[in-house]
Amino acid sequence: MSTLPTPQLSFPHVFRCKSVSSRRRRFLACELCNRTWSWRNGSKDVHTFLVRGKDLSNEAGRGDYMKLLPQPCVQNDALEPEALDEDLPVLENSKIEESIDYVKQMLGSMDDGRISVSAYDTAWIALIRDLQGRDIPQFPSSLDWISNNQLSDGSWGDEQFFLAYDRLLNTLACVVALTTWKIHADMIQKGLSFIKENVCKLEESNAEHMTCGFEVVFPALLQRARDLGILGIPYDAPVIRQICVVRDRKMERAPIELMHNVPTCLLYNLEGLENLELEWPKLLKLQTPKGTFLTSPAATSFAVMETKDENCITFINYVVNKFNGGAPTVYPVDIFARLWAVDRLQRLGISRFFAPEIKNCLDHVYRFWTEKGSFSARESEFCDIDCTSMGFRLLRLHGYNISPNALSNFKKDDEFTCYVGQGFESPSPIINLYRASQVLFPGETILEQARQFSYNFLRERLRKNQLLDKWLISKHLPDEIKCGVEMPWYATLPRVETRFYVQNYGVDDIWIGKSLYRMPEINNEAYLELAKLDYNKCQAQHQMEWNRMEQWYEDSGLEEFGISKKELLLYYFLASASIFEPERSGERSAWVKSQTVCTLLSSCYFSKEEAESSEQSIEFGNGQPRNWGHGCKYVKGLITILFETLRDLKSHAQERTGRDISNLLLDAWGVWLNKQRRGDDEIQAAELLVSTINICSGYIVSEETLFKNEYNTLSDLTNKICCRLRQLEKENVSGMEWNKERNCFSKYVEIEKDMQLLVKLVLQESSNGISKDIKQTFLMVAKTFYYRAYFATEQIDKHVSKVLFHPVL
């Protein structure tokens, strides 16, 4: 993006300019058809409103003041979504609608979650003998699935991604199952050949990508193969001996007694523990209501073999019927699927299409939330930090009454772990912990500790380039972590996040359980296609709006007052990156124009320099202005820009909402002008911006809202935050320095504490009727100030370029 020059013109410079450029033609309208400006017939009150901040709330006919201003011809900058749609290819709109319908159907039929089939778990089900004692399989359809899904190289597993742990475990399990029932000798031989040729690849495989419990369940399968007399497997290969050593070390540390009393991760690998003295009456008490052992079909199948427990049998029947003889590596995944689906839809910027479905998903999660946290399946006594962090963050952001105390279950000393007994931590759960920790309310110590730990952990992993993950295989994960660390939530604008996440969204991401698996409700090509189509559609409209903003800039002669086009572009970027939906064009226009005029008046009309200038002082006597000196036209121009802007905002809002908002606008601007005149220490620019957006959007429909205690509290707090952020912006503090010093120096600590309070006031339900939409505007505006203070100008320029002018491909 080319950098637009900033004019080096102060208002006094412009004020004393002798030449008059063509851009000043707009100001000639101040003379009303070549007549001298007059303040008769109420115009005096208009000027008093501007200069003295007079409260006109009780003045009769207040809504007519806009009519007293000159009426220059300006182009209407309102963009009608319908008009834009006509310009879009019909095929593109059709694709968007088709994608929306497809995703709606998927979300509406989620049930226990969609997940790919695991050959390993299917093989364990195939090993179950007839429950009536006959020498036949209880689930022959599972054997059919195995025989129908061998890959061309003789292996079983994920066809599109080769991971030695996954392929060898799946293949060995299927070979054992087929050998047990003495069928498909040809498949067995092909499988054995694959194992023999590829077992050495375990030596060069990344330990971080080892499938869950591989060191426990793979040796157990090898023992079954030995017992069956299967030849051709290199049982004594060095790599296999090393795996057995790792298994023995793990079992020495394993809390076997604890395993019989509370759910631990060992339950997930129960089929690998058959050589231990298991106390089944105790273990059966640890089943989930679905009858599973930590949602593992393989572990549950082993329990059926050992106990013939009815609950276990019911679960296996359910899975086999649902997956046509197959079985996933974990099931159900109802919590996991819903949380990650909502997260992906939000970060891709398309969640607005699925509001009812998202609410149903989060209602389901909240219904099964416990003080221990959450797990991938409902009603599980075993919980992990990944689902707990994701669940907490999404529920809190959507207004549910949720406490972060569950995270304390995963804290030991100064560190957090995915679950009790975890061998080493991986980046993906910790990035979710970091994201959750930023949505904190004042006094939530556990989140402060989580934020410090997770930030340091991720920074260290980035520094060492140690970003391979135990739970997820994704080529985009390093970039996602880097963006997450470098772009804290307070400084994140929705469209900036979407622009980067669309690049980092992994359609082909693979999850790691005991075998690899895929989740179509989390990683789906339809999500990405819809996100790209929608992003480019919104961006096309934003570019059209920006063209109209440029025209407004030229027609208004804003450059003559020191407003550069680059500054206007920044305002438009902040607005469109925060409010991006096509139908909210009017709100973006209200944001940009009100922020521009606010800056214009603050820097020109009410500046201390101008107030001390005798030539430019404005006083009244007998209803007429005194001598204004040679700056008269510029003062008139400022007044003209202000009231034409208010009139335009009123007109466009009335077209959209059907209501006349003149009185509300004048109330909001009158309050701000009065505070400006008094020279308050904390300039109330944020308050004015929030009120203007809320009024023009139709969220505020009566004056009563503006005077409610909660609204005033939010206004004062937002003003305070934004004032201090502007000071930091002027100091040009880098984001890295900010993160380093925010817990050490009072100016950072104060902003952080105030942001926490603002988040709490915005996200918690109101008791006196302030709507969620109104409160969200306060946080949205505060985040734009935080964004400007946090990021350097060069980085912001890059964001502007990518978000507004580069379509996603």
Side-chain angles (χ1 to χ4, degrees):
M1 184 190 70
S2 59
T3 302
L4 299 171
T6 303
Q8 301 299 314
L9 295 175
S10 64
F11 184 78
H13 186 174
V14 176
F15 192 88
R16 293 174 175 83
C17 247
K18 293 182 180 180
S19 61
V20 179
S21 70
S22 60
R23 291 175 179 167
R24 297 181 185 172
R25 64 188 181 278
R26 178 183 178 90
F27 300 151
L28 298 178
C30 297
E31 297 180 320
L32 285 176
C33 301
N34 296 323
R35 289 178 290 175
T36 304
W37 183 279
S38 173
W39 292 99
R40 292 191 292 273
N41 299 325
S43 296
K44 171 186 174 182
D45 288 332
V46 175
H47 194 260
T48 303
F49 170 79
L50 176 64
V51 180
R52 304 189 184 282
K54 181 178 178 181
D55 181 7
L56 301 179
S57 59
N58 296 319
E59 298 289 334
R62 173 183 50 177
D64 294 330
Y65 285 123
M66 293 184 182
K67 301 175 183 177
L68 300 173
L69 294 171
Q71 304 287 326
C73 295
V74 293
Q75 186 175 6
N76 188 334
D77 68 338
L79 263 174
E80 295 296 335
E82 293 79 11
L84 180 66
D85 286 345
E86 292 176 359
D87 295 333
L88 287 172
V90 175
L91 179 60
E92 183 175 284
N93 281 333
S94 176
K95 286 183 178 179
I96 290 176
E97 292 301 322
E98 289 176 3
S99 294
I100 291 173
D101 290 342
Y102 170 79
V103 176
K104 278 180 174 287
Q105 185 177 8
M106 175 181 287
L107 296 175
S109 58
M110 194 173 291
D111 192 29
D112 281 335
R114 294 180 177 87
I115 184 173
S116 58
V117 172
S118 161
Y120 171 79
D121 290 81
T122 302
W124 271 99
I125 293 177
L127 288 172
I128 300 175
R129 293 185 178 274
D130 177 63
L131 298 175
Q132 304 301 320
R134 295 171 294 178
D135 191 23
I136 58 174
Q138 176 67 27
F139 299 100
S141 61
S142 296
L143 281 172
D144 291 340
W145 188 96
I146 292 172
S147 64
N148 291 329
N149 286 276
Q150 187 176 33
L151 302 180
S152 59
D153 63 0
S155 70
W156 282 265
D158 191 287
E159 183 176 10
Q160 299 175 3
F161 186 88
F162 183 92
L163 179 68
Y165 300 111
D166 173 73
R167 288 290 186 90
L168 289 167
L169 182 68
N170 281 293
T171 303
L172 179 59
C174 290
V175 166
V176 167
L178 294 177
T179 303
T180 298
W181 299 111
K182 300 180 177 62
I183 58 174
H184 298 304
D186 56 332
M187 290 185 175
I188 293 173
Q189 287 305 314
K190 288 179 67 176
L192 288 173
S193 296
F194 176 87
I195 293 172
K196 184 177 181 180
E197 293 171 5
N198 289 276
V199 72
C200 60
K201 294 182 180 179
L202 292 174
E203 298 177 352
E204 57 196 51
S205 297
N206 293 312
E208 291 85 353
H209 285 167
M210 181 184 290
T211 52
C212 298
F214 181 86
E215 71 278 23
V216 174
V217 298
F218 190 68
L221 271 179
L222 287 172
Q223 185 58 50
R224 280 187 172 251
R226 278 181 185 272
D227 294 342
L228 287 169
I230 297 177
L231 303 177
I233 297 177
Y235 295 104
D236 296 323
V239 66
I240 289 180
R241 289 201 301 269
Q242 182 59 36
I243 291 170
C244 292
V245 170
V246 174
R247 185 239 359 236
D248 294 340
R249 289 175 181 172
K250 180 173 183 177
M251 297 312 300
E252 288 175 1
R253 301 192 308 268
I256 301 300
E257 290 301 321
L258 183 64
M259 182 190 78
H260 286 92
N261 294 297
V262 295
T264 67
C265 59
L266 285 176
L267 286 180
Y268 184 61
N269 300 310
L270 198 57
E271 72 275 17
L273 307 179
E274 59 181 317
N275 292 327
L276 299 180
E277 294 184 5
L278 300 177
E279 301 177 42
W280 283 106
K282 291 183 178 180
L283 290 175
L284 290 173
K285 294 179 181 179
L286 302 179
Q287 289 174 283
T288 70
K290 277 279 189 180
T292 74
F293 285 91
L294 230 59
T295 70
S296 170
T300 308
S301 296
F302 176 65
V304 170
M305 298 176 196
E306 296 292 312
T307 68
K308 296 183 172 56
D309 178 75
E310 288 296 332
N311 290 330
C312 293
I313 295 170
T314 299
F315 170 73
I316 297 299
N317 271 306
Y318 168 68
V319 168
V320 168
N321 290 331
K322 193 172 186 68
F323 291 90
N324 298 316
T329 194
V330 287
Y331 206 72
V333 285
D334 55 311
I335 302 296
F336 181 36
R338 283 167 172 80
L339 285 175
W340 265 255
V342 172
D343 175 72
R344 270 38 177 179
L345 293 172
Q346 285 195 326
R347 296 164 76 184
L348 287 169
I350 54 177
S351 59
R352 68 187 188 281
F353 298 123
F354 313 105
E357 291 79 10
I358 286 175
K359 184 179 186 306
N360 289 338
C361 285
L362 295 181
D363 283 346
H364 180 89
V365 173
Y366 188 62
R367 188 180 309 123
F368 296 105
W369 184 267
T370 72
E371 61 183 13
K372 294 182 180 180
S374 187
F375 186 53
S376 60
R378 63 188 178 275
E379 299 178 313
S380 172
E381 289 293 313
F382 180 87
C383 297
D384 64 56
I385 203 170
D386 208 9
C387 287
T388 301
S389 297
M390 183 73 82
F392 165 77
R393 183 179 61 84
L394 291 177
L395 290 172
R396 170 159 284 187
L397 286 175
H398 284 80
Y400 293 82
N401 183 18
I402 193 80
S403 167
N405 291 338
L407 291 172
S408 62
N409 297 316
F410 309 100
K411 182 175 182 293
K412 183 178 181 181
D413 299 326
D414 295 328
E415 297 183 347
F416 288 78
T417 184
C418 188
Y419 56 81
V420 176
Q422 169 79 346
F424 60 89
E425 299 309 320
S426 284
S428 65
I430 304 304
I431 188 63
N432 283 325
L433 175 65
Y434 179 62
R435 296 173 69 206
S437 70
Q438 297 177 82
V439 193
L440 75 165
F441 295 167
E444 291 182 329
T445 305
I446 188 65
L447 289 181
E448 293 176 351
Q449 295 168 341
R451 183 173 64 175
Q452 190 66 41
F453 166 78
S454 55
Y455 178 79
N456 292 337
F457 177 93
L458 295 169
R459 287 292 306 176
E460 184 67 10
R461 286 299 183 95
L462 284 168
R463 187 183 69 82
K464 294 181 178 179
N465 195 30
Q466 296 177 347
L467 297 171
L468 292 179
D469 196 76
K470 179 179 176 60
W471 308 106
L472 176 65
I473 299 174
S474 173
K475 62 183 178 181
H476 301 290
L477 184 60
D479 288 332
E480 183 181 343
I481 292 172
K482 189 172 185 291
C483 285
V485 171
E486 294 180 352
M487 192 179 294
W489 181 63
Y490 292 155
T492 302
L493 306 184
R495 224 48 180 169
V496 176
E497 179 181 33
T498 293
R499 186 63 180 80
F500 283 94
Y501 190 65
V502 167
Q503 297 174 185
N504 294 328
Y505 175 68
V507 171
D508 297 323
D509 286 357
I510 306 170
W511 301 88
I512 305 175
K514 275 185 281 194
S515 60
L516 301 182
Y517 63 99
R518 298 174 186 266
M519 299 281 291
E521 287 152 344
I522 299 173
N523 308 101
N524 197 304
E525 184 70 40
Y527 292 177
L528 185 59
E529 180 183 15
L530 176 57
K532 289 181 176 180
L533 289 170
D534 178 65
Y535 187 93
N536 290 335
K537 176 181 178 179
C538 292
Q539 187 187 69
Q541 176 158 333
H542 296 163
Q543 290 172 358
M544 293 172 65
E545 291 175 8
W546 168 240
N547 289 338
R548 292 178 182 245
M549 282 294 170
E550 287 186 295
Q551 188 62 54
W552 176 71
Y553 176 86
E554 298 291 337
D555 291 341
S556 301
L558 295 176
E559 184 178 8
E560 303 299 334
F561 295 97
I563 300 291
S564 70
K565 189 173 289 188
K566 181 176 181 180
E567 189 171 8
L568 184 70
L569 178 60
L570 174 61
Y571 294 158
Y572 183 75
F573 163 73
L574 295 173
S576 59
S578 303
I579 303 175
F580 59 87
E581 300 86 343
E583 67 274 10
R584 300 178 72 181
S585 172
E587 293 167 61
R588 288 188 289 276
S589 178
W591 183 319
V592 178
K593 289 188 173 182
S594 60
Q595 190 164 18
T596 302
V597 173
C598 176
T599 301
L600 185 67
L601 294 173
S602 297
S603 61
C604 297
Y605 202 92
F606 289 106
S607 67
K608 181 178 180 181
E609 183 178 54
E610 300 305 322
E612 293 175 351
S613 171
S614 59
E615 284 188 297
Q616 299 161 40
S617 62
I618 303 173
E619 298 180 5
F620 293 89
N622 299 322
Q624 295 292 331
R626 295 183 181 176
N627 180 24
W628 286 17
H630 57 273
C632 174
K633 286 187 178 180
Y634 300 99
V635 175
K636 294 175 186 177
L638 288 169
I639 298 171
T640 302
I641 292 172
L642 168 62
F643 278 90
E644 284 179 356
T645 298
L646 296 180
R647 186 179 58 246
D648 287 346
L649 297 184
K650 169 235 176 180
S651 175
H652 299 159
Q654 189 166 359
E655 290 178 7
R656 294 190 308 275
T657 66
R659 288 190 292 267
D660 186 347
I661 63 169
S662 302
N663 294 350
L664 291 171
L665 275 179
L666 289 172
D667 275 339
W669 281 78
V671 169
W672 178 74
L673 289 165
N674 189 46
K675 291 178 179 179
Q676 282 277 8
R677 181 185 62 81
R678 293 199 307 263
D680 288 356
D681 290 338
E682 292 178 359
I683 303 303
Q684 315 295 304
E687 174 187 350
L688 177 64
L689 183 57
V690 170
S691 295
T692 302
I693 295 170
N694 277 328
I695 290 169
C696 292
S697 65
Y699 297 151
I700 294 179
V701 297
S702 70
E703 301 170 3
E704 179 184 357
T705 301
L706 296 172
F707 298 104
K708 287 186 175 180
N709 289 335
E710 185 178 13
Y711 193 91
N712 290 326
T713 299
L714 285 165
S715 294
D716 292 342
L717 181 59
T718 304
N719 285 324
K720 179 183 177 183
I721 291 170
C722 293
C723 181
R724 280 148 179 74
L725 288 170
R726 287 300 298 272
Q727 291 298 319
L728 283 182
E729 181 184 354
K730 294 175 182 178
E731 295 174 13
N732 197 25
V733 179
S734 69
M736 184 64 68
E737 182 180 349
W738 188 309
N739 281 313
K740 180 180 178 181
E741 307 293 355
R742 66 184 177 187
N743 295 321
C744 303
F745 291 93
S746 60
K747 60 183 178 181
Y748 298 96
V749 173
E750 185 174 1
I751 290 174
E752 294 294 312
K753 295 299 182 184
D754 285 341
M755 284 296 292
Q756 294 171 19
L757 179 57
L758 179 62
V759 170
K760 179 179 181 179
L761 293 174
V762 168
L763 296 182
Q764 283 191 333
E765 186 176 353
S766 297
S767 59
N768 60 358
I770 298 292
S771 75
K772 180 175 67 175
D773 291 326
I774 291 175
K775 295 194 298 180
Q776 282 287 347
T777 308
F778 283 100
L779 180 58
M780 178 175 63
V781 168
K783 288 179 73 173
T784 65
F785 279 79
Y786 201 108
Y787 171 88
R788 291 181 62 179
Y790 187 86
F791 289 107
T793 302
E794 295 77 11
Q795 188 63 50
I796 293 176
D797 287 345
K798 292 179 182 177
H799 291 171
V800 173
S801 178
K802 291 186 74 71
V803 169
L804 289 181
F805 302 112
H806 291 170
V808 294
L809 303 176

